[in-house]
Amino acid sequence: MRRWEKLDNSAILFPAIATEHMTNTYRLSVILKERIRGDLLQEALEFVLSRFPGFRQRLRKGFFWYYLEENDYPVPRVHEEDTYPCRSTRTNDNNNYLFRVTYYGRRISLEVFHVLADGTGGFEFLKELTFAYLRLSHDALMEAHKGSFSADTSINRDDSFIRNYRKASRSAYAVKRAFLIKGEKLPYKGFGVVNAHLSVSEIKKLAHSLDVSINELCVALFIYATYKSYRHGVSEKRPIRVAVPVNLRPYFDSNTTKNFFVMVSAEFIPTKDEYSFEEIVSITKRSLRKQITKENLESIFSYNVSGQQILLARTVPLVFKNAGLRAIYSRSALANTTTVTNMGQINVPDDYAAYIESFQCFLSFSKGQGLKLGIASFNDVLTLSFSTEFRDTTLIMEYLRKLSQLGVSSCIETNGVFYE
């Protein structure tokens, strides 16, 4: 009998709202110091997937709920990258797997449908895939590790939302419409990528001087860049709100590879004509720190889980659940200007780290959010990865220009779609 599991509370939404354009897929990448061999990467994927049951699944539709079921189709094929990132993974040519592995030059990329795992769970898989590849490429690593998983890697599939759910509380989500970034879109449903590589030590020094965390600083920079680029569109009625995913594992003693996060929003409501960067940093800091407490985070996800726990909701057929979820999402989606997600410092064992240059992460577009920012750090390299559907890069350049003015230099690369 095939193994199966229920969707976690966050995952329930994604199949209901996913489309070919709004794929609910994220990309995680590792850049090595050597070119990738596709045959060895395929062999590495086959090894890791056989030992990582959480990713060896396909999405199934029941009468009342979607669920995940063990996938016994052949391991999906690794491909050299030849198209835009974050395409839908729910395709028959992927053997019904909910992730995709590609490579290009020195980069290995993992794209994951969010129903399967959040970014933390995705990085667990990507790191082991990278380690397996490096072992196959270097005899010394194979001899040292004997083909085993890292001691820090989790394959746990605990539903930590249910385990930590306490009691329902009122909704903490913003529902009023935020300022939305608009503009001419890239042709042919293009996907623009701008990566900026910074020094972790430089940005840490800057954050310390402003008495904020790196995450708070990066969010404040996005608010500031939006304010400077679209000042006449931002108002008390259309404030800037930046959705920030919060990893719940450190707060609730979890190591699950399923989704276990909630969203909070940093809010900037202009009430006067002019704001300095320092004022926006202070506003962002207060907004986030007020929300990112264990008590408030528990309140947010308990509210979410409470709806799932209602007996009447369980007995509603899936077709009606999907219609209801899409309606709720449509009302709430426009409450945020963008999403900024920070995966923090990615740690790997020293002998593998010698072969790795950096990590990256970025997000697909969602309703009202055609420009997003993903952040990942490795050793002294912090990579800002902007994903955008717009031809105009004014906001991105304003962000990086302000960083430069504050003493943090960056090396910038793009995927070239802005020049076509």
Side-chain angles (χ1 to χ4, degrees):
M1 184 175 178
R2 290 193 183 98
R3 186 181 62 85
W4 69 278
E5 65 182 50
K6 295 179 180 179
L7 301 192
D8 61 71
N9 184 258
S10 289
I12 288 170
L13 175 66
F14 299 122
I17 64 172
T19 65
E20 284 301 308
H21 182 62
M22 192 174 71
T23 62
N24 294 302
T25 300
Y26 59 85
R27 170 180 284 202
L28 308 174
S29 299
V30 57
I31 290 76
L32 303 183
K33 296 178 181 178
E34 58 194 47
R35 290 185 66 84
I36 310 301
R37 282 182 51 186
D39 57 335
L40 294 186
L41 185 58
Q42 182 68 48
E43 188 177 344
L45 177 59
E46 291 170 0
F47 169 82
V48 173
L49 192 59
S50 68
R51 292 160 174 79
F52 221 109
F55 273 64
R56 200 170 62 247
Q57 301 192 92
R58 58 178 175 168
L59 185 66
R60 304 289 281 173
K61 183 187 291 187
F63 186 75
F64 294 108
W65 297 103
Y66 286 104
Y67 62 97
L68 294 172
E69 180 184 75
E70 183 179 359
N71 190 348
D72 54 10
Y73 282 92
V75 175
R77 302 303 301 174
V78 166
H79 294 288
E80 187 169 15
E81 189 173 346
D82 61 358
T83 188
Y84 292 127
C86 294
R87 293 175 300 121
S88 172
T89 58
R90 299 174 64 185
T91 55
N92 293 330
D93 63 0
N94 199 45
N95 290 345
N96 290 321
Y97 286 92
L98 302 175
F99 69 91
R100 178 186 297 109
V101 175
T102 61
Y103 66 97
Y104 186 82
R106 297 182 293 116
R107 180 178 66 231
I108 300 172
S109 295
L110 171 70
E111 296 185 350
V112 182
F113 184 33
H114 225 314
V115 73
L116 196 61
D118 59 18
T120 301
F123 261 121
E124 293 285 279
F125 188 84
L126 176 61
K127 287 195 291 185
E128 283 301 338
L129 176 63
T130 304
F131 300 161
Y133 174 82
L134 289 171
R135 288 196 299 270
L136 292 169
S137 303
H138 301 278
D139 292 340
L141 288 176
M142 181 65 82
E143 180 64 26
H145 293 277
K146 305 294 184 183
S148 60
F149 272 19
S150 169
D152 294 330
T153 296
S154 171
I155 58 172
N156 182 290
R157 294 295 286 176
D158 169 56
D159 189 335
S160 294
F161 285 115
I162 297 297
R163 180 166 59 83
N164 290 283
Y165 166 71
R166 293 295 176 262
K167 61 180 180 179
S169 58
R170 63 183 181 85
S171 172
Y173 291 107
V175 292
K176 293 183 179 179
R177 187 164 175 165
F179 168 76
L180 302 180
I181 300 165
K182 297 179 180 179
E184 180 186 356
K185 294 185 179 180
L186 293 164
Y188 313 114
K189 296 184 178 178
F191 193 112
V193 175
V194 177
N195 286 324
H197 306 286
L198 322 173
S199 164
V200 171
S201 54
E202 282 187 3
I203 199 165
K204 186 181 291 185
K205 181 180 178 182
L206 173 60
H208 180 74
S209 71
L210 295 167
D211 193 30
V212 292
S213 67
I214 290 177
N215 191 54
E216 290 164 344
L217 173 58
C218 290
V219 173
L221 279 162
F222 203 107
I223 292 175
Y224 176 81
T226 306
Y227 168 69
K228 294 290 285 186
S229 302
Y230 300 97
R231 183 177 305 188
H232 297 299
V234 179
S235 67
E236 286 188 72
K237 291 185 176 180
R238 291 289 184 268
I240 299 170
R241 286 196 202 93
V242 176
V244 180
V246 179
N247 176 18
L248 295 172
R249 293 167 182 81
Y251 297 91
F252 297 96
D253 190 28
S254 170
N255 65 348
T256 184
T257 58
K258 293 169 77 79
N259 290 291
F260 194 40
F261 72 97
V262 295
M263 306 291 282
V264 300
S265 292
E267 185 175 60
F268 169 70
I269 304 174
T271 56
K272 61 179 184 177
D273 292 336
E274 190 71 31
Y275 284 85
S276 67
F277 174 69
E278 289 73 17
E279 286 178 302
I280 289 178
V281 168
S282 179
I283 291 168
T284 303
K285 172 183 171 180
R286 288 198 305 271
S287 181
L288 288 175
R289 292 194 181 183
K290 182 174 66 175
Q291 298 173 74
I292 304 178
T293 65
K294 182 176 181 179
E295 294 73 22
N296 188 59
L297 298 174
E298 183 180 88
S299 175
I300 293 172
F301 76 74
S302 291
Y303 172 81
N304 295 341
V305 172
S306 65
Q308 184 184 348
Q309 299 290 83
I310 298 172
L311 181 61
L312 180 61
R314 296 182 189 179
T315 60
V316 174
L318 182 61
V319 63
F320 298 115
K321 282 193 180 83
N322 283 346
L325 286 169
R326 284 192 289 267
I328 293 170
Y329 175 77
S330 293
R331 288 198 303 270
S332 61
L334 304 183
N336 286 293
T337 307
T338 189
T339 299
V340 173
T341 184
N342 185 2
M343 297 307 306
Q345 186 76 16
I346 310 301
N347 298 307
V348 303
D350 289 343
D351 46 356
Y352 290 119
Y355 298 89
I356 298 172
E357 184 175 291
S358 63
F359 286 91
Q360 302 171 2
C361 75
F362 54 85
L363 308 172
S364 58
F365 314 129
S366 55
K367 187 170 183 177
Q369 296 185 37
L371 171 58
K372 296 187 179 183
L373 172 60
I375 308 164
S377 303
F378 176 72
N379 288 341
D380 194 46
V381 180
L382 181 147
T383 302
L384 302 169
S385 295
F386 297 89
S387 53
T388 180
E389 63 180 354
F390 303 116
R391 185 183 290 278
D392 185 7
T393 59
T394 299
L395 190 155
I396 299 172
M397 293 302 104
E398 185 66 50
Y399 189 111
L400 299 176
R401 188 181 302 114
K402 187 61 181 178
L403 265 178
S404 178
Q405 291 171 356
L406 293 167
V408 180
S409 57
S410 59
C411 176
I412 302 171
E413 61 182 359
T414 80
N415 62 346
V417 299
F418 307 103
Y419 317 117
E420 295 176 356

